[in-house]
Amino acid sequence: MTHRARAAVRAVLALYPPAWRERYGDEVCALVEDSGSGRAILLGLAWRAAPVWISPPRQLHDRDARMRASLATVLVAWSALTGVGLVFVQLTQLQGFATPAHPVVGWSYTIFDAALASSAAVAAGGGLPLWLQMLRQARREHQHRAVGCLLLAFAAPAAFLLAAAVALRVVHHPEGAGPWWFASFAGLGFVAVGVAVAGQVAALRTLRPSGPAVRRAVGAAGIAAMTIVLAGAASVVAATGLCLWARDFAGYHQAGILEAYLILVSAAAATAAVSAARGVRATSCRGAPGRPESGA
Amino acid sequence: MVSRLDRWADPPLLVLASLADEPKHGYAITRDVAETMGVRLSPGTLYAVIARLESQGLIEPLAASDRRRPYQITRAGAAVLAQESARMSAVASLARSRLSGRPGLAGM
Protein backbone atom coordinates (compact mmCIF):
# COMPACT_ATOMS: atom_id res chain seq x y z
CA MET A 1 0.00 0.00 0.00
CA THR A 2 1.45 3.35 -1.03
CA HIS A 3 2.02 6.22 1.36
CA ARG A 4 -0.63 8.18 -0.55
CA ALA A 5 -3.23 5.43 -0.19
CA ARG A 6 -2.48 5.12 3.52
CA ALA A 7 -2.91 8.88 3.90
CA ALA A 8 -6.23 8.67 2.04
CA VAL A 9 -7.49 5.97 4.43
CA ARG A 10 -6.37 8.03 7.43
CA ALA A 11 -8.16 11.08 5.97
CA VAL A 12 -11.39 9.12 5.58
CA LEU A 13 -11.08 7.69 9.09
CA ALA A 14 -10.82 11.26 10.37
CA LEU A 15 -14.55 11.51 9.55
CA TYR A 16 -15.31 9.03 12.34
CA PRO A 17 -15.72 9.94 16.03
CA PRO A 18 -12.39 9.91 17.92
CA ALA A 19 -13.42 7.02 20.19
CA TRP A 20 -14.36 4.85 17.19
CA ARG A 21 -11.11 5.79 15.42
CA GLU A 22 -9.07 4.94 18.48
CA ARG A 23 -10.73 1.55 18.82
CA TYR A 24 -11.04 0.39 15.20
CA GLY A 25 -8.85 2.77 13.14
CA ASP A 26 -5.70 0.60 13.03
CA GLU A 27 -7.71 -2.54 12.25
CA VAL A 28 -9.51 -0.84 9.37
CA CYS A 29 -6.19 0.44 8.00
CA ALA A 30 -4.75 -3.08 8.17
CA LEU A 31 -7.84 -4.49 6.45
CA VAL A 32 -7.65 -1.93 3.63
CA GLU A 33 -3.92 -2.67 3.27
CA ASP A 34 -4.68 -6.40 2.97
CA SER A 35 -7.68 -6.14 0.68
CA GLY A 36 -6.56 -3.16 -1.42
CA SER A 37 -7.83 0.40 -1.41
CA GLY A 38 -9.94 1.91 -4.14
CA ARG A 39 -12.24 4.85 -4.60
CA ALA A 40 -15.33 2.73 -3.93
CA ILE A 41 -13.87 1.36 -0.70
CA LEU A 42 -12.93 4.82 0.53
CA LEU A 43 -16.35 6.22 -0.38
CA GLY A 44 -18.06 3.31 1.40
CA LEU A 45 -15.92 3.90 4.44
CA ALA A 46 -16.75 7.61 4.42
CA TRP A 47 -20.46 6.88 3.97
CA ARG A 48 -20.46 4.65 7.06
CA ALA A 49 -19.13 7.47 9.27
CA ALA A 50 -22.48 9.28 9.50
CA PRO A 51 -24.43 6.47 11.27
CA VAL A 52 -21.58 6.08 13.75
CA TRP A 53 -21.91 9.73 14.74
CA ILE A 54 -25.69 9.44 15.00
CA SER A 55 -25.68 6.21 16.97
CA PRO A 56 -22.23 5.41 18.38
CA PRO A 57 -21.58 1.83 19.52
CA ARG A 58 -22.50 1.44 23.19
CA GLN A 59 -19.17 -0.06 24.20
CA LEU A 60 -17.48 3.16 23.03
CA HIS A 61 -19.86 5.45 24.86
CA ASP A 62 -17.94 7.61 27.32
CA ARG A 63 -20.60 9.45 29.26
CA ASP A 64 -18.28 11.97 30.87
CA ALA A 65 -16.56 12.74 27.55
CA ARG A 66 -19.98 13.25 25.95
CA MET A 67 -21.01 15.64 28.71
CA ARG A 68 -17.75 17.58 28.47
CA ALA A 69 -18.08 17.83 24.68
CA SER A 70 -21.66 19.10 25.07
CA LEU A 71 -20.57 21.64 27.65
CA ALA A 72 -17.85 22.95 25.34
CA THR A 73 -20.16 23.17 22.33
CA VAL A 74 -23.00 24.80 24.27
CA LEU A 75 -20.53 27.29 25.77
CA VAL A 76 -19.31 28.31 22.31
CA ALA A 77 -22.83 28.58 20.85
CA TRP A 78 -24.19 30.31 23.96
CA SER A 79 -21.38 32.88 23.89
CA ALA A 80 -21.96 33.56 20.19
CA LEU A 81 -25.70 34.05 20.77
CA THR A 82 -25.12 36.24 23.80
CA GLY A 83 -22.55 38.33 21.93
CA VAL A 84 -24.85 38.80 18.96
CA GLY A 85 -27.70 39.58 21.36
CA LEU A 86 -25.67 42.23 23.13
CA VAL A 87 -24.83 43.85 19.78
CA PHE A 88 -28.55 43.78 18.99
CA VAL A 89 -29.30 45.48 22.33
CA GLN A 90 -26.66 48.09 21.69
CA LEU A 91 -28.01 48.78 18.22
CA THR A 92 -31.62 49.11 19.26
CA GLN A 93 -32.27 49.69 22.92
CA LEU A 94 -29.30 51.48 24.40
CA GLN A 95 -28.62 54.20 21.89
CA GLY A 96 -31.18 56.69 23.03
CA PHE A 97 -33.52 56.18 20.09
CA ALA A 98 -37.22 56.06 20.75
CA THR A 99 -38.15 52.40 20.41
CA PRO A 100 -41.08 51.99 18.01
CA ALA A 101 -44.30 51.62 19.91
CA HIS A 102 -45.57 48.53 18.09
CA PRO A 103 -46.65 46.03 20.78
CA VAL A 104 -44.98 43.02 19.09
CA VAL A 105 -41.62 44.77 19.10
CA GLY A 106 -42.13 45.93 22.68
CA TRP A 107 -43.01 42.43 23.92
CA SER A 108 -40.14 40.94 21.98
CA TYR A 109 -37.73 43.31 23.74
CA THR A 110 -39.17 42.35 27.13
CA ILE A 111 -38.90 38.61 26.42
CA PHE A 112 -35.40 39.10 25.03
CA ASP A 113 -34.22 40.99 28.13
CA ALA A 114 -35.76 38.49 30.56
CA ALA A 115 -34.50 35.43 28.66
CA LEU A 116 -30.98 36.80 28.24
CA ALA A 117 -30.72 37.74 31.93
CA SER A 118 -32.06 34.39 33.17
CA SER A 119 -29.86 32.49 30.73
CA ALA A 120 -26.77 34.31 31.95
CA ALA A 121 -27.77 33.72 35.60
CA VAL A 122 -28.38 29.99 35.04
CA ALA A 123 -25.14 29.59 33.07
CA ALA A 124 -23.14 31.35 35.77
CA GLY A 125 -24.85 29.50 38.62
CA GLY A 126 -24.47 26.09 36.98
CA GLY A 127 -20.99 26.64 35.63
CA LEU A 128 -19.33 28.23 38.66
CA PRO A 129 -19.08 25.03 40.81
CA LEU A 130 -17.50 23.16 37.88
CA TRP A 131 -15.13 26.05 37.22
CA LEU A 132 -14.07 26.07 40.89
CA GLN A 133 -13.64 22.28 40.86
CA MET A 134 -11.41 22.52 37.78
CA LEU A 135 -9.41 25.36 39.31
CA ARG A 136 -8.81 23.34 42.50
CA GLN A 137 -7.84 20.29 40.44
CA ALA A 138 -5.45 22.30 38.25
CA ARG A 139 -3.77 23.85 41.29
CA ARG A 140 -3.57 20.52 43.10
CA GLU A 141 -1.95 18.88 40.07
CA HIS A 142 0.31 21.92 39.40
CA GLN A 143 -1.12 22.36 35.92
CA HIS A 144 -0.24 26.02 35.57
CA ARG A 145 -1.30 26.19 31.95
CA ALA A 146 -4.78 24.93 32.83
CA VAL A 147 -4.97 27.49 35.66
CA GLY A 148 -4.11 30.20 33.13
CA CYS A 149 -6.75 28.93 30.71
CA LEU A 150 -9.40 28.95 33.43
CA LEU A 151 -8.50 32.47 34.57
CA LEU A 152 -9.03 33.71 31.00
CA ALA A 153 -12.75 33.56 31.81
CA PHE A 154 -12.24 36.73 33.84
CA ALA A 155 -8.98 38.11 32.42
CA ALA A 156 -10.15 38.41 28.80
CA PRO A 157 -13.41 40.31 29.53
CA ALA A 158 -11.56 42.47 32.08
CA ALA A 159 -8.94 43.37 29.47
CA PHE A 160 -11.71 44.22 27.02
CA LEU A 161 -13.50 46.44 29.55
CA LEU A 162 -10.22 48.15 30.43
CA ALA A 163 -9.45 48.79 26.77
CA ALA A 164 -13.00 50.06 26.23
CA ALA A 165 -12.78 52.37 29.28
CA VAL A 166 -9.47 53.81 28.09
CA ALA A 167 -10.81 54.29 24.57
CA LEU A 168 -13.97 55.97 25.88
CA ARG A 169 -11.89 58.32 28.00
CA VAL A 170 -9.78 59.26 24.99
CA VAL A 171 -12.60 59.56 22.48
CA HIS A 172 -15.38 60.70 24.89
CA HIS A 173 -18.26 59.91 22.52
CA PRO A 174 -17.37 56.97 20.38
CA GLU A 175 -20.87 56.71 18.94
CA GLY A 176 -20.41 60.18 17.49
CA ALA A 177 -17.25 59.09 15.71
CA GLY A 178 -19.19 56.84 13.33
CA PRO A 179 -19.85 53.17 12.89
CA TRP A 180 -16.16 52.20 12.84
CA TRP A 181 -15.76 52.74 16.57
CA PHE A 182 -18.80 50.60 17.22
CA ALA A 183 -17.59 47.88 14.86
CA SER A 184 -14.16 47.96 16.51
CA PHE A 185 -15.64 47.64 20.00
CA ALA A 186 -17.93 44.82 18.87
CA GLY A 187 -15.08 43.00 17.12
CA LEU A 188 -12.81 43.40 20.13
CA GLY A 189 -15.60 42.14 22.38
CA PHE A 190 -16.03 39.01 20.27
CA VAL A 191 -12.28 38.40 20.35
CA ALA A 192 -12.27 38.74 24.15
CA VAL A 193 -15.20 36.35 24.52
CA GLY A 194 -13.59 33.96 22.06
CA VAL A 195 -10.36 33.91 24.06
CA ALA A 196 -12.25 33.40 27.33
CA VAL A 197 -14.30 30.53 25.87
CA ALA A 198 -11.26 28.91 24.22
CA GLY A 199 -9.57 28.90 27.62
CA GLN A 200 -12.49 27.07 29.24
CA VAL A 201 -12.71 24.54 26.41
CA ALA A 202 -8.96 23.89 26.63
CA ALA A 203 -9.23 23.43 30.41
CA LEU A 204 -12.13 20.97 29.95
CA ARG A 205 -10.03 18.94 27.50
CA THR A 206 -6.94 18.98 29.69
CA LEU A 207 -8.47 18.37 33.11
CA ARG A 208 -11.28 16.01 31.98
CA PRO A 209 -13.47 16.74 35.02
CA SER A 210 -16.24 14.33 36.01
CA GLY A 211 -18.77 13.80 38.77
CA PRO A 212 -21.82 15.69 40.05
CA ALA A 213 -20.45 19.16 39.19
CA VAL A 214 -20.28 18.17 35.51
CA ARG A 215 -23.83 16.78 35.61
CA ARG A 216 -25.11 19.96 37.26
CA ALA A 217 -23.27 22.10 34.70
CA VAL A 218 -24.79 20.05 31.87
CA GLY A 219 -28.27 20.51 33.36
CA ALA A 220 -27.66 24.25 33.68
CA ALA A 221 -26.30 24.32 30.11
CA GLY A 222 -29.56 22.73 28.94
CA ILE A 223 -31.67 25.41 30.63
CA ALA A 224 -29.29 28.19 29.54
CA ALA A 225 -29.43 26.91 25.96
CA MET A 226 -33.25 26.85 25.98
CA THR A 227 -33.49 30.40 27.37
CA ILE A 228 -30.83 31.79 25.04
CA VAL A 229 -32.67 30.21 22.10
CA LEU A 230 -35.81 31.99 23.33
CA ALA A 231 -33.84 35.26 23.55
CA GLY A 232 -32.52 34.71 20.03
CA ALA A 233 -36.01 34.03 18.72
CA ALA A 234 -37.35 37.16 20.46
CA SER A 235 -34.57 39.26 18.97
CA VAL A 236 -35.34 37.91 15.50
CA VAL A 237 -39.03 38.79 15.97
CA ALA A 238 -38.08 42.26 17.17
CA ALA A 239 -35.67 42.82 14.29
CA THR A 240 -38.26 41.57 11.79
CA GLY A 241 -40.85 43.85 13.39
CA LEU A 242 -38.51 46.80 13.05
CA CYS A 243 -38.00 45.96 9.39
CA LEU A 244 -41.76 45.78 8.83
CA TRP A 245 -43.05 48.63 10.97
CA ALA A 246 -40.09 50.97 11.53
CA ARG A 247 -38.09 50.96 8.36
CA ASP A 248 -36.43 54.29 9.19
CA PHE A 249 -35.40 53.15 12.65
CA ALA A 250 -31.65 52.64 13.10
CA GLY A 251 -31.00 51.35 9.62
CA TYR A 252 -33.55 48.54 9.65
CA HIS A 253 -34.43 49.12 6.02
CA GLN A 254 -31.51 46.87 5.05
CA ALA A 255 -32.89 43.36 4.65
CA GLY A 256 -29.38 41.94 4.17
CA ILE A 257 -28.46 42.69 7.78
CA LEU A 258 -31.62 40.96 9.00
CA GLU A 259 -30.92 37.89 6.84
CA ALA A 260 -27.35 37.60 8.13
CA TYR A 261 -28.57 38.03 11.71
CA LEU A 262 -31.26 35.40 11.20
CA ILE A 263 -28.79 32.87 9.78
CA LEU A 264 -26.31 33.51 12.59
CA VAL A 265 -28.92 33.21 15.34
CA SER A 266 -30.50 30.10 13.80
CA ALA A 267 -27.16 28.32 13.41
CA ALA A 268 -26.01 29.12 16.94
CA ALA A 269 -29.43 28.28 18.43
CA ALA A 270 -29.62 24.93 16.63
CA THR A 271 -26.08 24.04 17.73
CA ALA A 272 -26.78 24.99 21.34
CA ALA A 273 -30.10 23.12 21.46
CA VAL A 274 -28.85 19.90 19.83
CA SER A 275 -25.65 19.74 21.86
CA ALA A 276 -27.43 20.55 25.11
CA ALA A 277 -29.97 17.79 24.42
CA ARG A 278 -27.18 15.27 23.79
CA GLY A 279 -25.43 16.31 27.00
CA VAL A 280 -28.61 16.09 29.08
CA ARG A 281 -29.35 12.67 27.58
CA ALA A 282 -25.85 11.55 28.56
CA THR A 283 -26.48 12.49 32.20
CA SER A 284 -29.19 9.83 32.39
CA CYS A 285 -27.31 7.16 30.39
CA ARG A 286 -25.54 4.26 31.99
CA GLY A 287 -21.80 4.19 31.47
CA ALA A 288 -20.37 1.68 29.03
CA PRO A 289 -19.20 -1.66 30.36
CA GLY A 290 -15.68 -1.36 31.70
CA ARG A 291 -15.94 2.38 32.11
CA PRO A 292 -16.66 2.95 35.78
CA GLU A 293 -17.79 6.41 36.71
CA SER A 294 -15.00 8.46 38.20
CA GLY A 295 -16.08 10.97 40.77
CA ALA A 296 -14.07 14.08 41.43
CA MET B 1 -19.36 -16.54 -7.66
CA VAL B 2 -20.67 -13.37 -6.06
CA SER B 3 -24.36 -13.57 -5.25
CA ARG B 4 -26.79 -11.35 -7.14
CA LEU B 5 -28.57 -10.85 -3.83
CA ASP B 6 -25.54 -9.15 -2.23
CA ARG B 7 -27.55 -6.14 -1.19
CA TRP B 8 -30.17 -8.27 0.53
CA ALA B 9 -27.70 -10.40 2.47
CA ASP B 10 -27.64 -9.89 6.20
CA PRO B 11 -24.03 -8.88 6.99
CA PRO B 12 -24.26 -9.49 10.78
CA LEU B 13 -25.42 -13.05 10.16
CA LEU B 14 -22.66 -13.62 7.60
CA VAL B 15 -20.02 -12.41 10.07
CA LEU B 16 -21.44 -14.61 12.84
CA ALA B 17 -21.43 -17.60 10.47
CA SER B 18 -17.85 -16.86 9.49
CA LEU B 19 -16.76 -16.76 13.12
CA ALA B 20 -18.69 -19.91 14.05
CA ASP B 21 -15.75 -22.29 13.58
CA GLU B 22 -12.78 -20.22 14.76
CA PRO B 23 -11.73 -16.65 15.59
CA LYS B 24 -10.80 -14.47 12.62
CA HIS B 25 -9.55 -10.95 12.01
CA GLY B 26 -11.11 -8.49 9.57
CA TYR B 27 -9.40 -9.60 6.38
CA ALA B 28 -9.92 -13.30 7.17
CA ILE B 29 -13.64 -12.63 7.71
CA THR B 30 -14.07 -10.80 4.39
CA ARG B 31 -12.14 -13.50 2.51
CA ASP B 32 -14.10 -16.30 4.18
CA VAL B 33 -17.46 -14.61 3.54
CA ALA B 34 -16.54 -13.98 -0.10
CA GLU B 35 -15.26 -17.52 -0.74
CA THR B 36 -17.85 -19.55 1.14
CA MET B 37 -20.96 -17.37 0.98
CA GLY B 38 -20.31 -15.36 -2.18
CA VAL B 39 -20.80 -11.95 -0.59
CA ARG B 40 -18.27 -9.15 -0.65
CA LEU B 41 -18.15 -7.12 2.57
CA SER B 42 -16.49 -3.71 2.25
CA PRO B 43 -14.29 -2.50 5.13
CA GLY B 44 -16.90 0.11 6.05
CA THR B 45 -19.70 -2.46 6.22
CA LEU B 46 -17.59 -5.03 8.03
CA TYR B 47 -16.51 -2.70 10.81
CA ALA B 48 -20.00 -1.25 11.21
CA VAL B 49 -21.17 -4.84 11.74
CA ILE B 50 -18.27 -5.75 14.04
CA ALA B 51 -18.95 -2.68 16.23
CA ARG B 52 -22.66 -3.55 16.37
CA LEU B 53 -22.13 -7.22 17.17
CA GLU B 54 -19.56 -6.33 19.80
CA SER B 55 -21.92 -3.84 21.46
CA GLN B 56 -24.61 -6.54 21.53
CA GLY B 57 -22.21 -9.02 23.11
CA LEU B 58 -22.50 -11.44 20.20
CA ILE B 59 -18.77 -11.38 19.41
CA GLU B 60 -15.73 -10.38 21.45
CA PRO B 61 -12.28 -9.13 20.55
CA LEU B 62 -9.13 -11.09 21.28
CA ALA B 63 -5.61 -9.74 21.71
CA ALA B 64 -4.40 -7.96 18.58
CA SER B 65 -1.21 -8.86 16.77
CA ASP B 66 0.31 -6.35 14.33
CA ARG B 67 -2.87 -4.23 14.14
CA ARG B 68 -4.97 -7.24 13.19
CA ARG B 69 -7.38 -8.08 15.97
CA PRO B 70 -9.22 -11.40 15.80
CA TYR B 71 -12.80 -11.72 16.99
CA GLN B 72 -14.56 -14.76 18.34
CA ILE B 73 -18.23 -15.57 18.62
CA THR B 74 -19.69 -15.56 22.14
CA ARG B 75 -22.18 -17.99 23.63
CA ALA B 76 -24.97 -15.47 23.01
CA GLY B 77 -23.75 -15.02 19.44
CA ALA B 78 -23.79 -18.76 18.84
CA ALA B 79 -27.36 -18.95 20.17
CA VAL B 80 -28.50 -16.14 17.86
CA LEU B 81 -26.74 -17.78 14.91
CA ALA B 82 -28.38 -21.14 15.65
CA GLN B 83 -31.80 -19.52 15.94
CA GLU B 84 -31.40 -17.55 12.70
CA SER B 85 -30.01 -20.61 10.88
CA ALA B 86 -33.05 -22.64 11.90
CA ARG B 87 -35.34 -19.90 10.65
CA MET B 88 -33.47 -19.66 7.35
CA SER B 89 -33.52 -23.45 6.97
CA ALA B 90 -37.28 -23.39 7.37
CA VAL B 91 -37.54 -20.67 4.72
CA ALA B 92 -35.20 -22.63 2.40
CA SER B 93 -37.19 -25.85 2.83
CA LEU B 94 -40.41 -24.04 2.13
CA ALA B 95 -38.94 -22.38 -0.96
CA ARG B 96 -37.59 -25.68 -2.29
CA SER B 97 -40.83 -27.56 -1.73
CA ARG B 98 -42.89 -24.83 -3.43
CA LEU B 99 -40.50 -24.57 -6.36
CA SER B 100 -40.58 -28.32 -6.83
CA GLY B 101 -44.36 -28.11 -7.20
CA ARG B 102 -43.88 -25.92 -10.29
CA PRO B 103 -42.05 -28.02 -12.90
CA GLY B 104 -41.30 -25.07 -15.16
CA LEU B 105 -39.34 -23.21 -12.47
CA ALA B 106 -37.81 -26.04 -10.45
CA GLY B 107 -34.64 -26.40 -12.53
CA MET B 108 -33.83 -22.68 -12.77
Side-chain angles (χ1 to χ4, degrees):
Chain A
M1 191 182 192
T2 64
H3 180 72
R4 198 173 161 187
R6 196 172 291 130
V9 175
R10 287 280 170 202
V12 170
L13 285 176
L15 298 172
Y16 283 79
W20 195 97
R21 222 163 43 228
E22 195 180 323
R23 171 65 183 80
Y24 297 111
D26 282 345
E27 292 177 48
V28 173
C29 273
L31 173 59
V32 175
E33 277 177 26
D34 291 340
S35 54
S37 65
R39 193 173 295 172
I41 284 180
L42 293 179
L43 281 175
L45 205 51
W47 175 252
R48 289 281 178 179
V52 179
W53 277 104
I54 294 165
S55 175
R58 198 173 70 84
Q59 76 274 20
L60 301 181
H61 186 73
D62 184 345
R63 187 172 75 141
D64 288 323
R66 176 65 260 164
M67 288 193 285
R68 285 193 295 269
S70 287
L71 274 178
T73 310
V74 171
L75 182 61
V76 171
W78 185 87
S79 304
L81 272 172
T82 305
V84 170
L86 289 175
V87 170
F88 169 76
V89 167
Q90 181 66 27
L91 280 174
T92 53
Q93 289 176 284
L94 302 179
Q95 292 205 359
F97 301 129
T99 304
H102 198 286
V104 172
V105 177
W107 272 107
S108 299
Y109 279 149
T110 307
I111 292 171
F112 172 80
D113 289 342
L116 188 65
S118 27
S119 187
V122 170
L128 193 59
L130 176 61
W131 188 84
L132 289 171
Q133 175 185 309
M134 285 199 293
L135 188 64
R136 280 195 296 271
Q137 182 189 345
R139 291 181 64 179
R140 194 171 56 240
E141 296 170 0
H142 302 290
Q143 298 206 40
H144 303 298
R145 199 169 168 177
V147 172
C149 285
L150 285 166
L151 291 179
L152 280 175
F154 296 99
F160 166 71
L161 290 176
L162 189 67
V166 170
L168 282 173
R169 190 171 284 271
V170 172
V171 183
H172 289 297
H173 297 290
E175 70 274 13
W180 290 110
W181 272 106
F182 180 76
S184 303
F185 274 121
L188 198 61
F190 276 107
V191 170
V193 170
V195 169
V197 168
Q200 310 319 298
V201 172
L204 274 170
R205 291 180 69 133
T206 308
L207 298 169
R208 297 169 172 261
S210 59
V214 176
R215 282 199 292 276
R216 274 198 293 272
V218 169
I223 299 170
M226 277 194 296
T227 44
I228 201 70
V229 166
L230 180 65
S235 73
V236 166
V237 171
T240 310
L242 289 170
C243 272
L244 291 174
W245 301 306
R247 295 176 67 83
D248 297 331
F249 176 72
Y252 275 91
H253 53 282
Q254 293 181 17
I257 295 175
L258 177 68
E259 283 167 12
Y261 184 72
L262 222 156
I263 291 169
L264 201 63
V265 168
S266 304
T271 306
V274 170
S275 198
R278 293 181 74 179
V280 169
R281 194 175 63 175
T283 59
S284 58
C285 282
R286 282 186 305 149
R291 284 183 190 273
E293 185 182 344
S294 53
Chain B
M1 185 193 77
V2 174
S3 165
R4 290 169 64 188
L5 299 180
D6 253 11
R7 288 164 187 275
W8 294 353
D10 186 359
L13 202 59
L14 301 181
V15 172
L16 284 178
S18 174
L19 294 176
D21 57 348
E22 60 178 356
K24 293 183 184 71
H25 56 68
Y27 180 59
I29 295 172
T30 52
R31 206 176 49 188
D32 180 49
V33 169
E35 285 172 0
T36 60
M37 301 169 228
V39 177
R40 279 191 303 246
L41 290 177
S42 70
T45 304
L46 176 66
Y47 271 88
V49 169
I50 284 179
R52 197 165 118 197
L53 293 175
E54 198 187 341
S55 74
Q56 291 170 343
L58 302 182
I59 62 171
E60 61 190 7
L62 301 175
S65 66
D66 189 26
R67 300 187 302 156
R68 288 161 182 81
R69 185 186 297 279
Y71 292 86
Q72 72 178 5
I73 194 165
T74 61
R75 195 179 288 270
V80 168
L81 181 61
Q83 192 181 349
E84 285 299 306
S85 302
R87 189 179 63 83
M88 288 170 71
S89 286
V91 173
S93 299
L94 180 71
R96 269 197 301 270
S97 71
R98 287 186 177 175
L99 279 173
S100 64
R102 298 181 64 181
L105 295 174
M108 291 183 81

